[in-house]
Amino acid sequence: MSIAREDYSETSLPINERFVSGVKRFLGAVGLELKRNYQLYLMVLPAVLLIFIFRYIPMYGVQIAFKDFVPTKGITGSEWVGFKHFIRFFESYNFWDILKNTLGLSLYQLIVGFPFPIILALILNQIKHNPFKKMVQTVTYIPHFVSVVVVIGMLTLFTSPDKGIIAHLFTMFGMEPINFMGEAKWFKSLYVFSGIWQSAGWGSIIYLAALAGVDPSLYEAASIDGASKWQKILYIDIPSIVPTAIILLLLNTGKLMSIGFEKVYLMQNPLNQSTSEIISTYVYKMGLLNSQYSYSAAIGLFNTMINFVLLITLNRIAKKANQTSLW
């Protein structure tokens, strides 16, 4: 007489017991991982707490974009109005001007400014005279540590139509001085090229690090084959930094609409406001100066959603194109 044995496999258990069993296994695995590598997790803990406190907790306040926020009533006590403030912004007379200025300045900065650190890194990588190379690196790195306020002060002095060095050069060659800070058409170029001067050297560091990881035997083989410096750059250096460049391009694209508020606001004046009024400065004026908190929150959330969609879309395109992406 054969005795039938009951199958006690996990699949035969009720779904609630399977769920509890799965949670227990997961928590056990997490606990084991934490026990094995607790030193590493303790090192990363301050960064996680910093991001959680200053990035995730404030997201609770995003709901005021959908309410008529009254400080005395608080966030939960304010009246829910749905998309009222978004519609108000879309229908405002200056919506398209602000959006055009923000996109125009962002794309200008990305297209013109993004290649400069790459070009500088490729040039520095080819310099074999170490003292001269160190001097160039130091000179190009220093502007990064100059305050934005100081940079705008220098820019204002240099471009002054009365006492600026550029005005004196124009006068020497018999030309009329130009009030660069007072003409709207010059705002974008002043913003972008002053930013390149300030950040190109610092931005080249990560590309130099990528180039330092290139196998020296590739250069030796290229020299034996008679390759010139330009051919080494074209066929060895550039392909080696393409993955790094794509990651940085995705990160920069993800904040395409979030141009630095401080610099734009410091450069802004009534004469160039037609091209310098962007979303971040408009949010500041509406939210803090005019106390329209819900309206400014709605504009800021709209700006964030555009950045989010751009990042997700371009990350997917990059992943399909060459298997290089943020995730």
PDB file of all heavy atoms in Angstrom, residues 266-303:
ATOM      1  N   LEU A 266      20.546  88.536 -11.689  1.00  0.00           N
ATOM      2  CA  LEU A 266      21.549  89.582 -11.507  1.00  0.00           C
ATOM      3  C   LEU A 266      21.828  90.335 -12.806  1.00  0.00           C
ATOM      4  O   LEU A 266      22.153  91.530 -12.783  1.00  0.00           O
ATOM      5  CB  LEU A 266      22.851  88.967 -10.971  1.00  0.00           C
ATOM      6  CG  LEU A 266      22.822  88.469  -9.529  1.00  0.00           C
ATOM      7  CD1 LEU A 266      24.066  87.668  -9.204  1.00  0.00           C
ATOM      8  CD2 LEU A 266      22.673  89.637  -8.560  1.00  0.00           C
ATOM      9  N   MET A 267      21.709  89.655 -13.930  1.00  0.00           N
ATOM     10  CA  MET A 267      21.947  90.301 -15.224  1.00  0.00           C
ATOM     11  C   MET A 267      20.716  91.043 -15.739  1.00  0.00           C
ATOM     12  O   MET A 267      20.814  91.860 -16.657  1.00  0.00           O
ATOM     13  CB  MET A 267      22.364  89.255 -16.271  1.00  0.00           C
ATOM     14  CG  MET A 267      23.728  88.638 -16.031  1.00  0.00           C
ATOM     15  SD  MET A 267      24.142  87.395 -17.286  1.00  0.00           S
ATOM     16  CE  MET A 267      24.242  88.415 -18.760  1.00  0.00           C
ATOM     17  N   GLN A 268      19.587  90.772 -15.160  1.00  0.00           N
ATOM     18  CA  GLN A 268      18.327  91.319 -15.677  1.00  0.00           C
ATOM     19  C   GLN A 268      18.161  92.785 -15.303  1.00  0.00           C
ATOM     20  O   GLN A 268      18.496  93.201 -14.199  1.00  0.00           O
ATOM     21  CB  GLN A 268      17.158  90.503 -15.126  1.00  0.00           C
ATOM     22  CG  GLN A 268      15.833  90.753 -15.796  1.00  0.00           C
ATOM     23  CD  GLN A 268      14.754  89.846 -15.230  1.00  0.00           C
ATOM     24  OE1 GLN A 268      14.164  90.136 -14.195  1.00  0.00           O
ATOM     25  NE2 GLN A 268      14.492  88.729 -15.907  1.00  0.00           N
ATOM     26  N   ASN A 269      17.638  93.563 -16.251  1.00  0.00           N
ATOM     27  CA  ASN A 269      17.289  94.964 -16.007  1.00  0.00           C
ATOM     28  C   ASN A 269      16.130  95.319 -16.927  1.00  0.00           C
ATOM     29  O   ASN A 269      15.803  94.552 -17.853  1.00  0.00           O
ATOM     30  CB  ASN A 269      18.492  95.889 -16.208  1.00  0.00           C
ATOM     31  CG  ASN A 269      19.080  95.787 -17.605  1.00  0.00           C
ATOM     32  OD1 ASN A 269      18.411  96.077 -18.595  1.00  0.00           O
ATOM     33  ND2 ASN A 269      20.353  95.389 -17.687  1.00  0.00           N
ATOM     34  N   PRO A 270      15.481  96.469 -16.713  1.00  0.00           N
ATOM     35  CA  PRO A 270      14.310  96.809 -17.543  1.00  0.00           C
ATOM     36  C   PRO A 270      14.588  96.883 -19.026  1.00  0.00           C
ATOM     37  O   PRO A 270      13.680  96.694 -19.843  1.00  0.00           O
ATOM     38  CB  PRO A 270      13.895  98.190 -16.993  1.00  0.00           C
ATOM     39  CG  PRO A 270      14.389  98.198 -15.589  1.00  0.00           C
ATOM     40  CD  PRO A 270      15.671  97.430 -15.608  1.00  0.00           C
ATOM     41  N   LEU A 271      15.854  97.113 -19.414  1.00  0.00           N
ATOM     42  CA  LEU A 271      16.184  97.251 -20.837  1.00  0.00           C
ATOM     43  C   LEU A 271      16.289  95.908 -21.551  1.00  0.00           C
ATOM     44  O   LEU A 271      16.040  95.821 -22.754  1.00  0.00           O
ATOM     45  CB  LEU A 271      17.493  98.039 -21.002  1.00  0.00           C
ATOM     46  CG  LEU A 271      17.475  99.482 -20.484  1.00  0.00           C
ATOM     47  CD1 LEU A 271      18.863 100.097 -20.587  1.00  0.00           C
ATOM     48  CD2 LEU A 271      16.466 100.312 -21.272  1.00  0.00           C
ATOM     49  N   ASN A 272      16.695  94.862 -20.842  1.00  0.00           N
ATOM     50  CA  ASN A 272      16.851  93.551 -21.495  1.00  0.00           C
ATOM     51  C   ASN A 272      15.808  92.535 -21.044  1.00  0.00           C
ATOM     52  O   ASN A 272      15.932  91.343 -21.322  1.00  0.00           O
ATOM     53  CB  ASN A 272      18.256  92.983 -21.261  1.00  0.00           C
ATOM     54  CG  ASN A 272      18.547  92.723 -19.791  1.00  0.00           C
ATOM     55  OD1 ASN A 272      17.657  92.541 -18.968  1.00  0.00           O
ATOM     56  ND2 ASN A 272      19.824  92.707 -19.449  1.00  0.00           N
ATOM     57  N   GLN A 273      14.770  92.990 -20.331  1.00  0.00           N
ATOM     58  CA  GLN A 273      13.799  92.069 -19.749  1.00  0.00           C
ATOM     59  C   GLN A 273      13.005  91.297 -20.797  1.00  0.00           C
ATOM     60  O   GLN A 273      12.499  90.213 -20.518  1.00  0.00           O
ATOM     61  CB  GLN A 273      12.842  92.829 -18.830  1.00  0.00           C
ATOM     62  CG  GLN A 273      12.031  91.919 -17.923  1.00  0.00           C
ATOM     63  CD  GLN A 273      11.376  92.665 -16.784  1.00  0.00           C
ATOM     64  OE1 GLN A 273      11.648  93.842 -16.564  1.00  0.00           O
ATOM     65  NE2 GLN A 273      10.504  91.994 -16.056  1.00  0.00           N
ATOM     66  N   SER A 274      12.906  91.831 -21.997  1.00  0.00           N
ATOM     67  CA  SER A 274      12.141  91.136 -23.049  1.00  0.00           C
ATOM     68  C   SER A 274      12.763  89.792 -23.408  1.00  0.00           C
ATOM     69  O   SER A 274      12.067  88.890 -23.881  1.00  0.00           O
ATOM     70  CB  SER A 274      12.031  92.015 -24.290  1.00  0.00           C
ATOM     71  OG  SER A 274      13.313  92.312 -24.816  1.00  0.00           O
ATOM     72  N   THR A 275      14.072  89.637 -23.209  1.00  0.00           N
ATOM     73  CA  THR A 275      14.737  88.359 -23.495  1.00  0.00           C
ATOM     74  C   THR A 275      15.261  87.673 -22.241  1.00  0.00           C
ATOM     75  O   THR A 275      15.660  86.510 -22.306  1.00  0.00           O
ATOM     76  CB  THR A 275      15.922  88.563 -24.468  1.00  0.00           C
ATOM     77  OG1 THR A 275      16.833  89.518 -23.905  1.00  0.00           O
ATOM     78  CG2 THR A 275      15.438  89.047 -25.823  1.00  0.00           C
ATOM     79  N   SER A 276      15.286  88.363 -21.114  1.00  0.00           N
ATOM     80  CA  SER A 276      15.858  87.786 -19.892  1.00  0.00           C
ATOM     81  C   SER A 276      14.809  87.254 -18.926  1.00  0.00           C
ATOM     82  O   SER A 276      15.167  86.621 -17.927  1.00  0.00           O
ATOM     83  CB  SER A 276      16.721  88.828 -19.174  1.00  0.00           C
ATOM     84  OG  SER A 276      15.930  89.916 -18.737  1.00  0.00           O
ATOM     85  N   GLU A 277      13.538  87.511 -19.173  1.00  0.00           N
ATOM     86  CA  GLU A 277      12.491  86.995 -18.280  1.00  0.00           C
ATOM     87  C   GLU A 277      12.247  85.528 -18.590  1.00  0.00           C
ATOM     88  O   GLU A 277      11.740  85.166 -19.652  1.00  0.00           O
ATOM     89  CB  GLU A 277      11.204  87.791 -18.463  1.00  0.00           C
ATOM     90  CG  GLU A 277      10.102  87.458 -17.450  1.00  0.00           C
ATOM     91  CD  GLU A 277      10.397  87.986 -16.057  1.00  0.00           C
ATOM     92  OE1 GLU A 277      11.348  87.463 -15.417  1.00  0.00           O
ATOM     93  OE2 GLU A 277       9.693  88.898 -15.615  1.00  0.00           O
ATOM     94  N   ILE A 278      12.642  84.655 -17.663  1.00  0.00           N
ATOM     95  CA  ILE A 278      12.480  83.211 -17.838  1.00  0.00           C
ATOM     96  C   ILE A 278      11.602  82.672 -16.713  1.00  0.00           C
ATOM     97  O   ILE A 278      11.190  83.419 -15.818  1.00  0.00           O
ATOM     98  CB  ILE A 278      13.849  82.494 -17.862  1.00  0.00           C
ATOM     99  CG1 ILE A 278      14.603  82.757 -16.553  1.00  0.00           C
ATOM    100  CG2 ILE A 278      14.670  82.937 -19.058  1.00  0.00           C
ATOM    101  CD1 ILE A 278      15.891  81.978 -16.425  1.00  0.00           C
ATOM    102  N   ILE A 279      11.341  81.381 -16.741  1.00  0.00           N
ATOM    103  CA  ILE A 279      10.398  80.796 -15.792  1.00  0.00           C
ATOM    104  C   ILE A 279      10.867  80.977 -14.350  1.00  0.00           C
ATOM    105  O   ILE A 279      10.085  81.334 -13.472  1.00  0.00           O
ATOM    106  CB  ILE A 279      10.171  79.305 -16.105  1.00  0.00           C
ATOM    107  CG1 ILE A 279       9.332  79.164 -17.379  1.00  0.00           C
ATOM    108  CG2 ILE A 279       9.466  78.603 -14.954  1.00  0.00           C
ATOM    109  CD1 ILE A 279       9.072  77.740 -17.805  1.00  0.00           C
ATOM    110  N   SER A 280      12.154  80.747 -14.085  1.00  0.00           N
ATOM    111  CA  SER A 280      12.637  80.826 -12.700  1.00  0.00           C
ATOM    112  C   SER A 280      12.527  82.238 -12.140  1.00  0.00           C
ATOM    113  O   SER A 280      12.162  82.424 -10.969  1.00  0.00           O
ATOM    114  CB  SER A 280      14.083  80.327 -12.612  1.00  0.00           C
ATOM    115  OG  SER A 280      14.925  81.094 -13.447  1.00  0.00           O
ATOM    116  N   THR A 281      12.831  83.272 -12.937  1.00  0.00           N
ATOM    117  CA  THR A 281      12.706  84.647 -12.445  1.00  0.00           C
ATOM    118  C   THR A 281      11.232  85.034 -12.291  1.00  0.00           C
ATOM    119  O   THR A 281      10.868  85.762 -11.369  1.00  0.00           O
ATOM    120  CB  THR A 281      13.407  85.632 -13.392  1.00  0.00           C
ATOM    121  OG1 THR A 281      12.856  85.509 -14.722  1.00  0.00           O
ATOM    122  CG2 THR A 281      14.893  85.362 -13.448  1.00  0.00           C
ATOM    123  N   TYR A 282      10.391  84.529 -13.183  1.00  0.00           N
ATOM    124  CA  TYR A 282       8.963  84.819 -13.105  1.00  0.00           C
ATOM    125  C   TYR A 282       8.345  84.173 -11.857  1.00  0.00           C
ATOM    126  O   TYR A 282       7.515  84.774 -11.174  1.00  0.00           O
ATOM    127  CB  TYR A 282       8.269  84.322 -14.368  1.00  0.00           C
ATOM    128  CG  TYR A 282       6.827  84.735 -14.494  1.00  0.00           C
ATOM    129  CD1 TYR A 282       6.474  86.067 -14.662  1.00  0.00           C
ATOM    130  CD2 TYR A 282       5.802  83.788 -14.456  1.00  0.00           C
ATOM    131  CE1 TYR A 282       5.141  86.453 -14.782  1.00  0.00           C
ATOM    132  CE2 TYR A 282       4.477  84.160 -14.577  1.00  0.00           C
ATOM    133  CZ  TYR A 282       4.146  85.499 -14.742  1.00  0.00           C
ATOM    134  OH  TYR A 282       2.834  85.878 -14.861  1.00  0.00           O
ATOM    135  N   VAL A 283       8.772  82.955 -11.548  1.00  0.00           N
ATOM    136  CA  VAL A 283       8.299  82.272 -10.342  1.00  0.00           C
ATOM    137  C   VAL A 283       8.710  83.054  -9.096  1.00  0.00           C
ATOM    138  O   VAL A 283       7.920  83.221  -8.158  1.00  0.00           O
ATOM    139  CB  VAL A 283       8.858  80.834 -10.280  1.00  0.00           C
ATOM    140  CG1 VAL A 283       8.650  80.223  -8.900  1.00  0.00           C
ATOM    141  CG2 VAL A 283       8.190  79.966 -11.330  1.00  0.00           C
ATOM    142  N   TYR A 284       9.937  83.542  -9.085  1.00  0.00           N
ATOM    143  CA  TYR A 284      10.418  84.328  -7.938  1.00  0.00           C
ATOM    144  C   TYR A 284       9.579  85.585  -7.743  1.00  0.00           C
ATOM    145  O   TYR A 284       9.168  85.906  -6.621  1.00  0.00           O
ATOM    146  CB  TYR A 284      11.881  84.703  -8.159  1.00  0.00           C
ATOM    147  CG  TYR A 284      12.403  85.742  -7.196  1.00  0.00           C
ATOM    148  CD1 TYR A 284      12.693  85.414  -5.878  1.00  0.00           C
ATOM    149  CD2 TYR A 284      12.609  87.062  -7.618  1.00  0.00           C
ATOM    150  CE1 TYR A 284      13.172  86.366  -4.989  1.00  0.00           C
ATOM    151  CE2 TYR A 284      13.088  88.021  -6.739  1.00  0.00           C
ATOM    152  CZ  TYR A 284      13.372  87.671  -5.428  1.00  0.00           C
ATOM    153  OH  TYR A 284      13.825  88.622  -4.558  1.00  0.00           O
ATOM    154  N   LYS A 285       9.294  86.280  -8.819  1.00  0.00           N
ATOM    155  CA  LYS A 285       8.531  87.529  -8.719  1.00  0.00           C
ATOM    156  C   LYS A 285       7.092  87.268  -8.301  1.00  0.00           C
ATOM    157  O   LYS A 285       6.541  87.987  -7.458  1.00  0.00           O
ATOM    158  CB  LYS A 285       8.567  88.266 -10.062  1.00  0.00           C
ATOM    159  CG  LYS A 285       9.947  88.793 -10.428  1.00  0.00           C
ATOM    160  CD  LYS A 285       9.985  89.357 -11.831  1.00  0.00           C
ATOM    161  CE  LYS A 285      11.389  89.790 -12.198  1.00  0.00           C
ATOM    162  NZ  LYS A 285      11.479  90.272 -13.588  1.00  0.00           N
ATOM    163  N   MET A 286       6.484  86.222  -8.876  1.00  0.00           N
ATOM    164  CA  MET A 286       5.099  85.921  -8.531  1.00  0.00           C
ATOM    165  C   MET A 286       4.971  85.344  -7.118  1.00  0.00           C
ATOM    166  O   MET A 286       4.063  85.696  -6.369  1.00  0.00           O
ATOM    167  CB  MET A 286       4.511  84.920  -9.534  1.00  0.00           C
ATOM    168  CG  MET A 286       4.303  85.467 -10.941  1.00  0.00           C
ATOM    169  SD  MET A 286       3.072  86.786 -11.016  1.00  0.00           S
ATOM    170  CE  MET A 286       4.133  88.226 -11.185  1.00  0.00           C
ATOM    171  N   GLY A 287       5.907  84.471  -6.751  1.00  0.00           N
ATOM    172  CA  GLY A 287       5.791  83.777  -5.479  1.00  0.00           C
ATOM    173  C   GLY A 287       6.243  84.587  -4.285  1.00  0.00           C
ATOM    174  O   GLY A 287       5.513  84.714  -3.302  1.00  0.00           O
ATOM    175  N   LEU A 288       7.458  85.144  -4.355  1.00  0.00           N
ATOM    176  CA  LEU A 288       8.013  85.826  -3.195  1.00  0.00           C
ATOM    177  C   LEU A 288       7.705  87.320  -3.173  1.00  0.00           C
ATOM    178  O   LEU A 288       7.434  87.880  -2.110  1.00  0.00           O
ATOM    179  CB  LEU A 288       9.526  85.598  -3.141  1.00  0.00           C
ATOM    180  CG  LEU A 288       9.963  84.151  -2.915  1.00  0.00           C
ATOM    181  CD1 LEU A 288      11.478  84.050  -2.855  1.00  0.00           C
ATOM    182  CD2 LEU A 288       9.357  83.594  -1.631  1.00  0.00           C
ATOM    183  N   LEU A 289       7.766  87.963  -4.313  1.00  0.00           N
ATOM    184  CA  LEU A 289       7.521  89.401  -4.333  1.00  0.00           C
ATOM    185  C   LEU A 289       6.034  89.737  -4.306  1.00  0.00           C
ATOM    186  O   LEU A 289       5.619  90.700  -3.665  1.00  0.00           O
ATOM    187  CB  LEU A 289       8.181  90.033  -5.564  1.00  0.00           C
ATOM    188  CG  LEU A 289       9.706  89.879  -5.658  1.00  0.00           C
ATOM    189  CD1 LEU A 289      10.231  90.670  -6.855  1.00  0.00           C
ATOM    190  CD2 LEU A 289      10.396  90.347  -4.381  1.00  0.00           C
ATOM    191  N   ASN A 290       5.214  88.949  -5.025  1.00  0.00           N
ATOM    192  CA  ASN A 290       3.775  89.217  -5.086  1.00  0.00           C
ATOM    193  C   ASN A 290       2.942  88.296  -4.196  1.00  0.00           C
ATOM    194  O   ASN A 290       1.713  88.399  -4.173  1.00  0.00           O
ATOM    195  CB  ASN A 290       3.276  89.113  -6.531  1.00  0.00           C
ATOM    196  CG  ASN A 290       3.896  90.167  -7.425  1.00  0.00           C
ATOM    197  OD1 ASN A 290       4.333  91.216  -6.954  1.00  0.00           O
ATOM    198  ND2 ASN A 290       3.953  89.903  -8.722  1.00  0.00           N
ATOM    199  N   SER A 291       3.611  87.362  -3.515  1.00  0.00           N
ATOM    200  CA  SER A 291       2.945  86.440  -2.566  1.00  0.00           C
ATOM    201  C   SER A 291       1.850  85.593  -3.208  1.00  0.00           C
ATOM    202  O   SER A 291       0.873  85.228  -2.554  1.00  0.00           O
ATOM    203  CB  SER A 291       2.355  87.242  -1.384  1.00  0.00           C
ATOM    204  OG  SER A 291       3.366  87.950  -0.710  1.00  0.00           O
ATOM    205  N   GLN A 292       1.999  85.256  -4.498  1.00  0.00           N
ATOM    206  CA  GLN A 292       1.043  84.372  -5.177  1.00  0.00           C
ATOM    207  C   GLN A 292       1.627  82.956  -5.138  1.00  0.00           C
ATOM    208  O   GLN A 292       2.115  82.439  -6.145  1.00  0.00           O
ATOM    209  CB  GLN A 292       0.791  84.851  -6.608  1.00  0.00           C
ATOM    210  CG  GLN A 292       0.216  86.258  -6.686  1.00  0.00           C
ATOM    211  CD  GLN A 292      -0.082  86.687  -8.101  1.00  0.00           C
ATOM    212  OE1 GLN A 292      -0.449  85.868  -8.966  1.00  0.00           O
ATOM    213  NE2 GLN A 292       0.063  87.974  -8.375  1.00  0.00           N
ATOM    214  N   TYR A 293       1.553  82.338  -3.988  1.00  0.00           N
ATOM    215  CA  TYR A 293       2.258  81.081  -3.742  1.00  0.00           C
ATOM    216  C   TYR A 293       1.742  79.938  -4.608  1.00  0.00           C
ATOM    217  O   TYR A 293       2.522  79.180  -5.191  1.00  0.00           O
ATOM    218  CB  TYR A 293       2.154  80.716  -2.256  1.00  0.00           C
ATOM    219  CG  TYR A 293       2.645  81.795  -1.334  1.00  0.00           C
ATOM    220  CD1 TYR A 293       1.765  82.477  -0.485  1.00  0.00           C
ATOM    221  CD2 TYR A 293       3.993  82.145  -1.306  1.00  0.00           C
ATOM    222  CE1 TYR A 293       2.222  83.472   0.366  1.00  0.00           C
ATOM    223  CE2 TYR A 293       4.453  83.142  -0.452  1.00  0.00           C
ATOM    224  CZ  TYR A 293       3.562  83.809   0.369  1.00  0.00           C
ATOM    225  OH  TYR A 293       4.017  84.806   1.200  1.00  0.00           O
ATOM    226  N   SER A 294       0.442  79.784  -4.707  1.00  0.00           N
ATOM    227  CA  SER A 294      -0.123  78.684  -5.486  1.00  0.00           C
ATOM    228  C   SER A 294       0.186  78.847  -6.969  1.00  0.00           C
ATOM    229  O   SER A 294       0.512  77.876  -7.657  1.00  0.00           O
ATOM    230  CB  SER A 294      -1.634  78.603  -5.265  1.00  0.00           C
ATOM    231  OG  SER A 294      -1.925  78.248  -3.935  1.00  0.00           O
ATOM    232  N   TYR A 295       0.086  80.065  -7.447  1.00  0.00           N
ATOM    233  CA  TYR A 295       0.353  80.344  -8.864  1.00  0.00           C
ATOM    234  C   TYR A 295       1.812  80.051  -9.206  1.00  0.00           C
ATOM    235  O   TYR A 295       2.101  79.390 -10.212  1.00  0.00           O
ATOM    236  CB  TYR A 295       0.021  81.804  -9.155  1.00  0.00           C
ATOM    237  CG  TYR A 295       0.196  82.223 -10.599  1.00  0.00           C
ATOM    238  CD1 TYR A 295      -0.395  81.518 -11.636  1.00  0.00           C
ATOM    239  CD2 TYR A 295       0.952  83.346 -10.927  1.00  0.00           C
ATOM    240  CE1 TYR A 295      -0.237  81.899 -12.960  1.00  0.00           C
ATOM    241  CE2 TYR A 295       1.115  83.745 -12.236  1.00  0.00           C
ATOM    242  CZ  TYR A 295       0.518  83.026 -13.256  1.00  0.00           C
ATOM    243  OH  TYR A 295       0.681  83.415 -14.569  1.00  0.00           O
ATOM    244  N   SER A 296       2.727  80.499  -8.370  1.00  0.00           N
ATOM    245  CA  SER A 296       4.148  80.256  -8.629  1.00  0.00           C
ATOM    246  C   SER A 296       4.484  78.768  -8.487  1.00  0.00           C
ATOM    247  O   SER A 296       5.321  78.240  -9.224  1.00  0.00           O
ATOM    248  CB  SER A 296       5.009  81.086  -7.680  1.00  0.00           C
ATOM    249  OG  SER A 296       4.761  80.746  -6.334  1.00  0.00           O
ATOM    250  N   ALA A 297       3.824  78.069  -7.545  1.00  0.00           N
ATOM    251  CA  ALA A 297       4.048  76.630  -7.393  1.00  0.00           C
ATOM    252  C   ALA A 297       3.583  75.873  -8.629  1.00  0.00           C
ATOM    253  O   ALA A 297       4.221  74.902  -9.054  1.00  0.00           O
ATOM    254  CB  ALA A 297       3.329  76.117  -6.158  1.00  0.00           C
ATOM    255  N   ALA A 298       2.472  76.295  -9.208  1.00  0.00           N
ATOM    256  CA  ALA A 298       1.964  75.657 -10.428  1.00  0.00           C
ATOM    257  C   ALA A 298       2.943  75.847 -11.587  1.00  0.00           C
ATOM    258  O   ALA A 298       3.204  74.920 -12.356  1.00  0.00           O
ATOM    259  CB  ALA A 298       0.597  76.237 -10.787  1.00  0.00           C
ATOM    260  N   ILE A 299       3.505  77.046 -11.710  1.00  0.00           N
ATOM    261  CA  ILE A 299       4.475  77.311 -12.780  1.00  0.00           C
ATOM    262  C   ILE A 299       5.726  76.462 -12.571  1.00  0.00           C
ATOM    263  O   ILE A 299       6.259  75.875 -13.509  1.00  0.00           O
ATOM    264  CB  ILE A 299       4.833  78.810 -12.821  1.00  0.00           C
ATOM    265  CG1 ILE A 299       3.591  79.649 -13.087  1.00  0.00           C
ATOM    266  CG2 ILE A 299       5.882  79.075 -13.890  1.00  0.00           C
ATOM    267  CD1 ILE A 299       3.814  81.138 -12.921  1.00  0.00           C
ATOM    268  N   GLY A 300       6.202  76.399 -11.326  1.00  0.00           N
ATOM    269  CA  GLY A 300       7.380  75.588 -11.035  1.00  0.00           C
ATOM    270  C   GLY A 300       7.155  74.115 -11.302  1.00  0.00           C
ATOM    271  O   GLY A 300       8.041  73.422 -11.815  1.00  0.00           O
ATOM    272  N   LEU A 301       5.953  73.611 -10.972  1.00  0.00           N
ATOM    273  CA  LEU A 301       5.640  72.206 -11.225  1.00  0.00           C
ATOM    274  C   LEU A 301       5.556  71.927 -12.718  1.00  0.00           C
ATOM    275  O   LEU A 301       6.019  70.873 -13.188  1.00  0.00           O
ATOM    276  CB  LEU A 301       4.316  71.843 -10.547  1.00  0.00           C
ATOM    277  CG  LEU A 301       3.879  70.381 -10.636  1.00  0.00           C
ATOM    278  CD1 LEU A 301       4.938  69.459 -10.061  1.00  0.00           C
ATOM    279  CD2 LEU A 301       2.563  70.170  -9.917  1.00  0.00           C
ATOM    280  N   PHE A 302       4.995  72.851 -13.466  1.00  0.00           N
ATOM    281  CA  PHE A 302       4.956  72.726 -14.929  1.00  0.00           C
ATOM    282  C   PHE A 302       6.371  72.636 -15.492  1.00  0.00           C
ATOM    283  O   PHE A 302       6.669  71.800 -16.357  1.00  0.00           O
ATOM    284  CB  PHE A 302       4.218  73.926 -15.524  1.00  0.00           C
ATOM    285  CG  PHE A 302       4.418  74.119 -17.002  1.00  0.00           C
ATOM    286  CD1 PHE A 302       3.817  73.280 -17.922  1.00  0.00           C
ATOM    287  CD2 PHE A 302       5.219  75.161 -17.468  1.00  0.00           C
ATOM    288  CE1 PHE A 302       4.016  73.458 -19.281  1.00  0.00           C
ATOM    289  CE2 PHE A 302       5.418  75.343 -18.829  1.00  0.00           C
ATOM    290  CZ  PHE A 302       4.817  74.495 -19.736  1.00  0.00           C
ATOM    291  N   ASN A 303       7.262  73.464 -14.999  1.00  0.00           N
ATOM    292  CA  ASN A 303       8.649  73.465 -15.434  1.00  0.00           C
ATOM    293  C   ASN A 303       9.331  72.134 -15.120  1.00  0.00           C
ATOM    294  O   ASN A 303      10.055  71.567 -15.949  1.00  0.00           O
ATOM    295  CB  ASN A 303       9.382  74.619 -14.737  1.00  0.00           C
ATOM    296  CG  ASN A 303      10.787  74.817 -15.250  1.00  0.00           C
ATOM    297  OD1 ASN A 303      11.012  74.851 -16.451  1.00  0.00           O
ATOM    298  ND2 ASN A 303      11.733  74.958 -14.349  1.00  0.00           N
TER     299      ASN A 303
END
